[in-house]
Amino acid sequence: MMIDKSLLRAEMKAHRAGLAQADPTAGDRLTHMADIDAAGVVAGYWPIQSELSPLPFMQKLSEQGCALALPCLIPADGGGFIMAFRRFELGDHLELGPYGISQPDADKPMILPDVVLVPLLAFDRKGGRLGYGGGFYDRALDFLKSQKEIKAWGIGFAGQELDEVPLEPHDQCLDLILTENGMISV
């Protein structure tokens, strides 16, 4: 049976909004996992809508010596946008990019992260993830993996877990999931 991913996205978006409303400071509990093997450059994200905030976790990683980056959507040849990553420090000015995403100013240098924190609508214990459907993270992760060894860590509420996320051949899986209740290895 084929699952309609657009319906699942709408359902999970509403579900996540309820989880965020019930526990607005859940992201603070991610800091207890900052001793995991993170080194080099960690690309987080500036949360939008009801995404679990990785900012406290990113602050802790920065204090432990990791460099930080944020995704930015830049115009692609032929139209549309591609996701790249720019150097970022907490407190930096951000500009409003496409789709309402806060991203580093264009004068910040591009950087290839070692770890990418990925916001989630849903996840499963096999590393499957459901995003917004634009494919930005899938294409970015695919490109990064062609350049170097990287890790993709999903960030979401424990209540966003599904038995199985419907995947397509282009979907990039997660290496680890971090929730307010702990770490899930895949």
Side-chain angles (χ1 to χ4, degrees), residues 21-40:
Q21 185 175 12
D23 193 355
T25 60
D28 294 348
R29 293 196 295 286
L30 296 177
T31 60
H32 300 296
M33 292 172 272
D35 61 345
I36 58 180
D37 186 25

Side-chain angles (χ1 to χ4, degrees), residues 95-112:
E95 62 186 25
L96 193 59
Y99 306 107
I101 294 171
S102 294
Q103 57 189 37
D105 293 333
D107 64 342
K108 294 291 183 178
M110 294 290 188
I111 193 165
L112 295 178

Side-chain angles (χ1 to χ4, degrees), residues 38-102:
V41 179
V42 177
Y45 58 90
W46 198 266
I48 60 172
Q49 302 170 25
S50 59
E51 292 172 345
L52 184 63
S53 177
L55 299 176
F57 183 61
M58 291 168 60
Q59 174 69 39
K60 189 79 165 173
L61 292 172
S62 175
E63 291 167 3
Q64 294 174 353
C66 291
L68 299 178
L70 284 181
C72 55
L73 296 179
I74 57 175
D77 293 339
F81 298 96
I82 59 169
M83 180 182 282
F85 299 89
R86 286 194 171 116
R87 185 80 167 84
F88 168 75
E89 291 182 28
L90 291 162
D92 282 356
H93 176 267
L94 299 175
E95 62 186 25
L96 193 59
Y99 306 107
I101 294 171
S102 294

